Amino acid sequence: MDLHILEHRVRVLSLARRGLWLYTHPLLKLLFLPQRCRCKFFSLTETPEDYTIMLDEEGFKELPPSEFMQVADSTWLVLSVVSNGREPSGCQATGVTKIARSVIAPLAEHHVSVLMLSTYQTDFILVRERDLPVVIHTLAGEFDIYKEEGGECVPVTCDDVSNGFLKPKQAASPTLHPVQSPQTRFCVLTVAPDTLPAIATMLIDVLFYSHSPPRETGAGSQDLDSITFFAFSLIEGYISIVMDAETQKRFPSDLLLTSSTGELWRMVRIGGQPLGFDECGIVAQIAEPLAAADISAYYISTFNFDHALVPEEGIAEVIQLLQQRQESSR
């Protein structure tokens, strides 16, 4: 397998729900008119707490600073695992299971914090730009590594980054965070870019006008009746959408594409309190046991919490696996 370091330099930010009105215009531009701002990597995820936005530097220029916007200090680079030299296509991906053992776990062991963004087409791993030497040294034995430069893929070796390489610190045992499992059922979808205008008004309604008040939940709560969650990404021309099954009913069924089985997904939400960006092993906490059990999952990191989507019929097994892992660590 190949590991590609994409050209995007990504910023990660939190937008307060009460400040959404200030950003409606630039967000509409990023959502529906990316050619106007040359943004190639854009993701917007709504959670009960806030909106998490991941976007490249061209897109970041569109967002005015304000008291409602909190930006993570680091610049993040985007990694993508490519099998047999094939780039992401319109076919549905299988989620983080396929890369859990080969990428996520080794980086956690070497004290590298990662963010995950699973889409309908593929999975992206985000690492801090300053951690790139450690990433390359850690994964060079498992992958042929390439860096995209000016549209070309240039091979990368450990020697190319040796000047910036510092021996990684020994990772402390990761904290096992509590998980919650809301009853909401989700769909993972895509839409052809040329049909996006046909659902634009509905997307605007869902994203900007169909708000529910933030839900207060205790740090130790294991279950929720429902959760507000909507994710939209437009990356290199490919669109991916995660929405709950009830929201999906508001869209024309012939325009939203999903797997032939119409599979529904349940969420595992990680963290009783906001997680932060410095802790390592958060993604691995979920991805490793699911990979060991060969359970597919989509994983979406946000500014405060992480979220895994697993097949609805497997949610009981997933919760049991994670509870066993927590109990064994005590």
Side-chain angles (χ1 to χ4, degrees):
M1 288 191 295
D2 298 341
L3 182 72
H4 286 203
I5 305 166
L6 306 185
E7 287 187 289
H8 314 294
R9 300 178 74 247
V10 171
R11 304 305 301 269
V12 179
L13 60 96
S14 167
L15 182 60
R17 295 172 72 90
R18 68 184 187 279
L20 181 63
W21 62 271
L22 183 61
Y23 292 89
T24 301
H25 180 266
L27 287 176
L28 287 174
K29 187 176 179 182
L30 290 162
L31 282 161
F32 302 114
L33 299 170
Q35 70 277 11
R36 295 279 187 179
C37 56
R38 297 184 297 177
C39 180
K40 299 290 183 63
F41 191 104
F42 172 74
S43 171
L44 172 67
T45 304
E46 180 188 9
T47 66
E49 297 77 23
D50 61 1
Y51 294 85
T52 293
I53 300 174
M54 302 179 183
L55 74 176
D56 61 25
E57 292 178 316
E58 289 295 330
F60 186 64
K61 294 175 184 176
E62 300 291 329
L63 303 180
S66 77
E67 62 179 308
F68 303 116
M69 187 170 73
Q70 183 180 357
V71 184
D73 292 336
S74 303
T75 297
W76 299 76
L77 299 180
V78 183
L79 312 180
S80 178
V81 175
V82 179
S83 299
N84 301 322
R86 286 159 48 180
E87 297 294 338
S89 67
C91 299
Q92 190 169 17
T94 56
V96 298
T97 301
K98 62 183 179 181
I99 59 174
R101 291 191 184 96
S102 55
V103 178
I104 297 170
L107 292 181
E109 291 171 1
H110 286 80
H111 208 63
V112 175
S113 178
V114 304
L115 300 176
M116 281 295 307
L117 179 62
S118 294
T119 69
Y120 183 92
Q121 295 84 9
T122 191
D123 303 293
F124 298 105
I125 308 111
L126 279 68
V127 299
R128 288 186 177 95
E129 190 171 38
R130 66 172 182 263
D131 288 335
L132 185 60
V134 179
V135 171
I136 292 173
H137 275 261
T138 301
L139 301 179
E142 183 77 20
F143 294 92
D144 293 323
I145 302 177
Y146 298 87
K147 187 172 185 179
E148 292 188 357
E149 296 181 355
E152 300 291 329
C153 292
V154 180
V156 175
T157 66
C158 292
D159 294 338
D160 295 331
V161 295
S162 58
N163 290 336
F165 178 70
L166 297 175
K167 186 176 180 179
K169 303 174 184 177
Q170 183 65 34
S173 298
T175 301
L176 287 181
H177 294 277
V179 297
Q180 299 170 334
S181 180
Q183 298 298 312
T184 311
R185 303 153 78 217
F186 291 95
C187 312
V188 181
L189 310 156
T190 188
V191 61
D194 58 349
T195 62
L196 183 61
I199 62 170
T201 54
M202 186 58 66
L203 277 175
I204 292 170
D205 184 27
V206 170
L207 279 169
F208 299 111
Y209 298 103
S210 301
H211 303 307
S212 59
R215 178 184 294 272
E216 297 295 334
T217 58
S221 175
Q222 294 297 307
D223 293 284
L224 302 171
D225 290 334
S226 63
I227 188 170
T228 299
F229 189 89
F230 187 96
F232 176 97
S233 64
L234 176 56
I235 299 173
E236 296 286 358
Y238 291 104
I239 298 170
S240 179
I241 304 172
V242 177
M243 68 176 74
D244 65 77
E246 290 302 310
T247 299
Q248 183 195 16
K249 295 176 182 177
R250 300 168 58 183
F251 288 82
S253 59
D254 58 328
L255 297 181
L256 297 180
L257 307 176
T258 186
S259 65
S260 58
T261 59
E263 193 166 30
L264 294 175
W265 302 76
R266 287 279 301 279
M267 177 181 289
V268 176
R269 179 171 155 101
I270 302 94
Q273 300 293 334
L275 298 172
F277 297 104
D278 293 323
E279 186 178 339
C280 304
I282 297 173
V283 177
Q285 172 185 343
I286 303 295
E288 284 190 274
L290 296 190
D294 199 28
I295 298 174
S296 298
Y298 288 89
Y299 201 107
I300 298 178
S301 300
T302 61
F303 204 87
N304 292 302
F305 298 97
D306 281 11
H307 309 80
L309 296 174
V310 301
E312 182 180 27
E313 65 272 14
I315 186 64
E317 181 184 359
V318 169
I319 295 301
Q320 184 179 15
L321 284 172
L322 298 179
Q323 288 176 342
Q324 290 174 346
R325 184 179 175 95
Q326 287 188 327
E327 290 169 1
S328 65
S329 68
R330 290 172 184 168

